[in-house]
Each structure stands twice: as structure tokens, then as C-alpha cells.
Amino acid sequence: MSEAVEEAILKHLSGADATISDTFTWSSEKNLDHNAVVGCVKSLSADAYVTETELKTSFYTLSAEAKDVVANGSQEIRVLAVLVEAGEEGLSIPDLQAKVGKNVCKIGMGNCMKNKWATKDKSKGGNLVAVKKLEEVTDETKAQLQTIADANGAEDAIDSKAVGLLKRRKLVSLVTRKSYSVVKDTQFAPKRVKKAADLTKEMLDSGAWKTTPFKPYNFLTTGEKVGGGYLHPLLKVRAEFRKILMQMGFNEMPTNKWVESSFWNFDTLFQPQSHPARDAHDTFFIKEPATTVSVPEDYYERVKEMHEKGGAGSIGYRYDFKREEAFKNLLRTHTTAVSSQMLYKLANQPGGFKPARYFSIDRVFRNETMDATHLCEFHQVEGLVADYNLSLGDLIGTIETFFKKIGITKLRFKPAFNPYTEPSMEIFGYHPDLKCWTEIGNSGMFRPEMLAPMGLPENVRVIAWGLSLERPTMIKYRIKNIRDLFGHKVEMARTRTAPVCRFDDATADEQEAC
């Protein structure tokens, strides 16, 4: 179809001084679809075969109701005719509806009474009675619509006031039709030759490129949008936390092992083997391989003795420590399993113990019921400082420094219980949006029962704290449901459009103020 239309356009324009004054009129004369003609004109214009100029023609079209009025008369005339036929007694509204129909009755009755052609006679039970005879009135509505139809919808066919009345009755509507005038352009030819868009190997081999017309290159056009990788909001916040902790002098711990033994995850932390957290409903145990291969035997024996008999001022838990329980493999429930390994290496490194600061940000797993604020896997941020004669004041000062660097200046500490820290504290921060205090982390000093078996000097203390990565990320990006942040329901668009994460360093602001 398009080839036939294109051929017809080029054939018509091949004549001397030939033009197409209006594509709509020309399409009608040639019995061609106007949309197809416009499409071919635009295509030919792109290759400079023709030049088109847009034309706009406005005209009135009659609605289906208006066409019915032209054919059968207006509703008010039809109602008046029935009332005149009924005589002096007139007709009740139900009888009138039965004769002319509900729609005609509704419109015609109102206009008849408005024009004072009919009235309601109370003496005849409220019947409608004709006041005028048919020969005494003129069907102006029909006449106006007929004039518009005869003028092919011309805007000036009737006066604007009459058009306004017809529009209000939704009998006519103004339509603007777009068409084009077409003349030859610089590259016009009676037959169109498609220009090549690309230089191919076949053209080079045959030499056809020498005579083949090519489309001109548009060096100003923008290229296709390149899709690239995007950092997830969690990774953006993680990168910012990592930078802050490194600025504070912390070294990152290797946390690439998600599977740990119960020995490193629980036993080395002085957590008893009967603790509820070690049940299957709280922890994901591995089926294959179900057990670890080995642990440091001398360290294992010291941990076992601490659990069974105690030491470092403790009486222990007084139970039989089971090797098979310690060797069970699991998905780590906290990154503190890595912290215990780092502290063991720190105590037994060549040259003896040296003070150190460590941090980790990685994934941990808990067998929890998933809801809007909980998942069975999440990211834990953990930091620890191992040095001589540290106190609770050092822990509070370190925590305050970190949280000030991420913009949280209002902190509270509440005493708490953890199996492997004493004293222990929950960390609460003031949420300015929610206008309330919310728990943002946990902290404490590692117990002597945990540190002594590692071989650390007696006066070495280890302070530690941790928080989830998800909660500050949800606050930062105003996310209410954690499943919108992490998991299979996350929208890819959110990952692409999430802004760069920056935390205001409250410490730097205070220094500038000073």
C-alpha cells in the first residue's frame, strides 16, 4: 500500500510545476487513505525528495443526534406536533414519552416550555397542552444544522451565537484537520532510490560503495542511552560507613566466609551450648558438610575448660562440653564469629599482642519470620578496639564519635544483657522524622571468659559495638518496608535512581564552629 501511495505522489509531482495544494483533497480525489499519504510525504521529505508545509483546516461536524434532527426535525418540533394532535386535553408526561420516546420527550418538552410553545395545564391534571400551532413556529435548530451540513461544516456558515447554542446541546463540535501542501525538493526524482545507512563488507568487496548513495551522518544527534551498572542503596551506605571507619583508624576484617562452625560462632564467645539461639528455629545449620574439619586443638581445650570449669574469676557453666556440638556447621548469625578469630590471631601473632582496631560490614543469617522490618538475612556493621586498660568510657566515646560522623548526635545508652559482653549497652538514637528514640545498635566489653582462652594479656580489654546496615539505609532513603530495600521484590528502578549517600559529619561541623 505505501509503495503504491509513494508512486502516486512522485508520478503526480513529476509534471512541470506540479504541486499538491492539500493532501486531504488530493487523497480524496485519488481515492487514497490520507494517513498513508501523510506518512509517505514525511518519509520522502526526510530524503529531500519533497518539502511539505502544514495546513490546518477547522470545520464543524454533526453528532449522531444532530443528523437525526436534520432527518426528522428537532425534538421540540416533534413534541409540539404530538401535543397539537392531542388537542385541548393535551398529554400526560408518560403518554408523551410513549409516543416520542424518553430522550425526545426530555429535551423537546423543556425547549417547548422554554419557547412558550406548550404549558402545563393544572385544570387538566397537569397535562402538557400546546399553545402554538405548527405553522406558527419555525424549526430553527434543524435549519441551522442543515446550513452547516450544506456548507461542509464551514466555520462561518452560521453566526457564533447560534453555534454556541448548538455546542451546548452537543449537536456540533469543532474539528481541526491537519494536512499538508507538497512541492518538489532538491533531491526529487520520479523514482525513489533508498539511501544506505551503513557501509557493509559486501559493498567494499564489490566496489558498490563508490556509486551507492548514503544517508548523511547527523553528528549532533544524541546517542542511545547506555545502560550501566548501578550501586544498590545498601552498597552506597556501606561504602560511606567503610570510609568513616577507616578515617577513624579501623582495619577491615576478612568476612568472605558465610559458613562458620558453631565453635567460632558460639563457643569462643562463651555462649553455652544449651543457649536458645543455637536451636534450629533460630539458626540455619548446614546439611552438607554438616561438620567442620578442624579447629585449633589447644584453643579448643581452653574454651572447653572455660565452659566446664570456668577461669579468669568465673565458675563457668558447669556442663559437659560436646565436641560434636562445637563442630556443627552453620550460616553465621553474626560477624562476631570473625571478630573472635581475629582476636585469637592477634593474641598469638609473632611478637605478641599489639593494640588494634577492626571493623566489618557483611551479611549474617537468622532463622526469623520475615515481615516489614525483618528478613532472614541482613547486613551487620561491627567494630572493636583491643587495647590495654580500656574502660566503658572508651566504649561510649568511640560510639559517639562514629555516630556523630554519620549525623546522629543525640544518643542514649541502656544497660542490657549479652552472653559474651559485660557490661552491655543498647544504643538509642533520636529519629528527627519520627520524633522518637529508636534502637540503632548494641555494644559492650568482651567478657574475660572469652578473652582469657585466646591468650590475650590479663590487662587487655576489648570494646565492641554493632548495628544493622539496613536500618540507617531505610532512614536515609525514607524506605518503610525492608523488603523494598533488599530481596527479590526490590524495584530495579529504585537501584538506578537512588541518589548518592552522604552523611553529614557532625564532628567536623563542631570543629568548624570552634
Side-chain angles (χ1 to χ4, degrees):
M1 174 67 179
S2 60
E3 291 180 0
V5 172
E6 182 179 296
E7 185 179 346
I9 294 171
L10 293 174
K11 184 179 179 181
H12 176 84
L13 293 175
S14 295
D17 300 325
T19 62
I20 297 176
S21 58
D22 189 325
T23 53
F24 184 81
T25 306
W26 186 82
S27 300
S28 301
E29 292 172 355
K30 300 293 183 180
N31 198 25
L32 296 172
D33 179 61
H34 183 242
N35 290 330
V37 169
V38 170
C40 286
V41 166
K42 288 186 175 294
S43 177
L44 290 167
S45 176
D47 288 339
Y49 276 69
V50 299
T51 299
E52 81 279 12
T53 303
E54 186 177 84
L55 305 174
K56 289 185 178 180
T57 306
S58 297
F59 56 91
Y60 289 106
T61 59
L62 304 187
S63 66
E65 182 184 340
K67 291 175 182 177
D68 179 59
V69 169
V70 171
N72 302 307
S74 65
Q75 293 93 332
E76 51 267 32
I77 288 293
R78 281 184 264 178
V79 167
L80 179 61
V82 171
L83 293 177
V84 169
E85 185 182 343
E88 295 181 358
E89 293 298 318
L91 292 172
S92 65
I93 292 175
D95 291 339
L96 181 59
Q97 288 177 343
K99 286 183 175 292
V100 297
K102 285 186 177 181
N103 290 335
V104 172
C105 175
K106 181 180 178 181
I107 299 170
M109 182 179 71
N111 287 330
C112 275
M113 296 184 71
K114 180 181 176 182
N115 295 335
K116 297 182 180 180
W117 295 354
T119 186
K120 280 187 179 181
D121 193 337
K122 293 181 181 179
S123 65
K124 295 182 174 58
N127 284 359
L128 285 169
V129 179
V131 176
K132 295 280 187 178
K133 297 179 181 180
L134 280 174
E135 55 270 19
E136 296 176 341
V137 300
T138 304
D139 193 348
E140 292 182 1
T141 302
K142 178 180 177 180
Q144 290 166 354
L145 291 173
Q146 186 66 61
T147 302
I148 292 173
D150 293 342
N152 293 322
E155 283 189 273
D156 56 355
I158 60 174
D159 63 83
S160 58
K161 184 179 179 181
V163 168
L165 293 172
L166 295 177
K167 280 183 176 180
R168 281 199 291 273
R169 290 182 64 172
K170 297 181 180 180
L171 295 174
V172 298
S173 57
L174 186 65
V175 175
T176 301
R177 180 182 66 229
K178 288 184 180 181
S179 58
Y180 297 88
S181 63
V182 185
V183 297
K184 301 174 188 176
D185 204 349
T186 55
Q187 301 297 317
F188 180 82
K191 186 172 179 60
R192 187 181 191 183
V193 178
K194 292 281 186 180
K195 293 183 179 180
D198 297 303
L199 182 65
T200 64
K201 178 180 180 297
E202 290 74 14
M203 290 180 186
L204 294 172
D205 291 342
S206 64
W209 62 273
K210 296 177 182 178
T211 56
T212 301
F214 287 91
K215 289 183 178 179
Y217 282 102
N218 184 359
F219 293 102
L220 300 178
T221 188
T222 55
E224 186 177 351
K225 187 177 179 180
V226 178
Y230 300 88
L231 286 177
H232 189 276
L234 276 175
L235 294 180
K236 294 179 181 179
V237 176
R238 174 180 174 167
E240 192 71 8
F241 277 18
R242 189 171 179 267
K243 182 181 74 174
I244 290 170
L245 288 163
M246 285 184 168
Q247 288 173 350
M248 293 174 64
F250 285 79
N251 295 312
E252 191 166 11
M253 294 186 282
T255 54
N256 55 340
K257 265 184 21 177
W258 290 356
V259 176
E260 290 286 358
S261 66
S262 294
F263 176 75
W264 288 112
N265 196 82
F266 294 123
D267 297 325
T268 61
L269 307 182
F270 196 58
Q271 193 162 334
Q273 293 184 338
S274 60
H275 195 280
R278 302 177 71 149
D279 293 339
H281 65 268
D282 284 324
T283 302
F284 291 108
F285 288 95
I286 306 299
K287 287 185 178 180
E288 184 64 34
T291 58
T292 189
V293 177
S294 64
V295 296
E297 282 299 327
D298 56 339
Y299 182 39
Y300 171 83
E301 291 299 330
R302 292 197 297 272
V303 170
K304 177 182 178 184
E305 184 176 355
M306 184 63 73
H307 279 251
E308 291 182 340
K309 301 177 182 179
S314 171
I315 62 172
Y317 290 116
R318 304 289 183 91
Y319 71 96
D320 292 332
F321 189 86
K322 296 179 181 179
R323 188 179 185 87
E324 60 271 19
E325 186 68 29
F327 272 56
K328 286 182 179 179
N329 281 333
L330 49 81
L331 290 176
R332 66 184 180 206
T333 60
H334 45 204
T335 52
T336 316
V338 181
S339 300
S340 64
Q341 295 175 57
M342 295 301 294
L343 289 171
Y344 172 73
K345 291 178 181 178
L346 194 63
N348 297 277
Q349 65 184 345
F353 169 79
K354 293 179 182 178
R357 298 182 180 190
Y358 293 121
F359 82 93
S360 64
I361 308 175
D362 213 331
R363 198 173 299 186
V364 296
F365 307 87
R366 307 274 176 87
N367 192 0
E368 294 186 352
T369 302
M370 292 188 289
D371 56 30
T373 58
H374 294 84
L375 292 176
C376 60
E377 55 180 307
F378 59 94
H379 293 78
Q380 182 177 345
V381 182
E382 182 168 339
L384 66 89
V385 180
D387 205 344
Y388 295 101
N389 301 317
L390 292 175
S391 67
L392 192 64
D394 296 305
L395 174 60
I396 293 173
T398 304
I399 291 170
E400 285 180 341
T401 300
F402 171 77
F403 280 103
K404 279 183 180 179
K405 284 184 175 291
I406 65 173
I408 300 175
T409 57
K410 294 183 179 181
L411 293 175
R412 285 180 180 174
F413 300 93
K414 176 184 174 183
F417 170 78
N418 290 318
Y420 45 89
T421 59
E422 181 60 38
S424 305
M425 299 183 299
E426 291 177 346
I427 309 165
F428 289 81
Y430 186 75
H431 195 308
D433 290 339
L434 300 177
K435 299 191 183 304
C436 66
W437 293 88
T438 181
E439 184 181 354
I440 55 177
N442 216 321
S443 64
M445 300 182 69
F446 285 146
R447 296 172 65 114
E449 297 95 325
M450 173 184 166
L451 303 179
M454 293 177 178
L456 291 166
E458 288 186 10
N459 58 341
V460 169
R461 302 288 181 267
V462 180
I463 57 175
W465 46 269
L467 68 152
S468 75
L469 186 64
E470 282 78 3
R471 182 162 292 181
T473 304
M474 290 173 69
I475 294 172
K476 191 71 176 174
Y477 287 98
R478 301 295 193 267
I479 299 171
K480 294 182 179 179
N481 193 324
I482 194 170
R483 286 170 289 195
D484 294 333
L485 173 69
F486 188 72
H488 66 282
K489 292 185 178 180
V490 172
E491 294 181 13
M492 295 305 294
R494 185 189 291 273
T495 302
R496 290 194 296 270
T497 58
V500 173
C501 171
R502 287 191 179 93
F503 289 98
D504 296 327
D505 188 344
T507 306
D509 294 340
E510 289 173 3
Q511 290 173 354
E512 289 177 8
C514 294

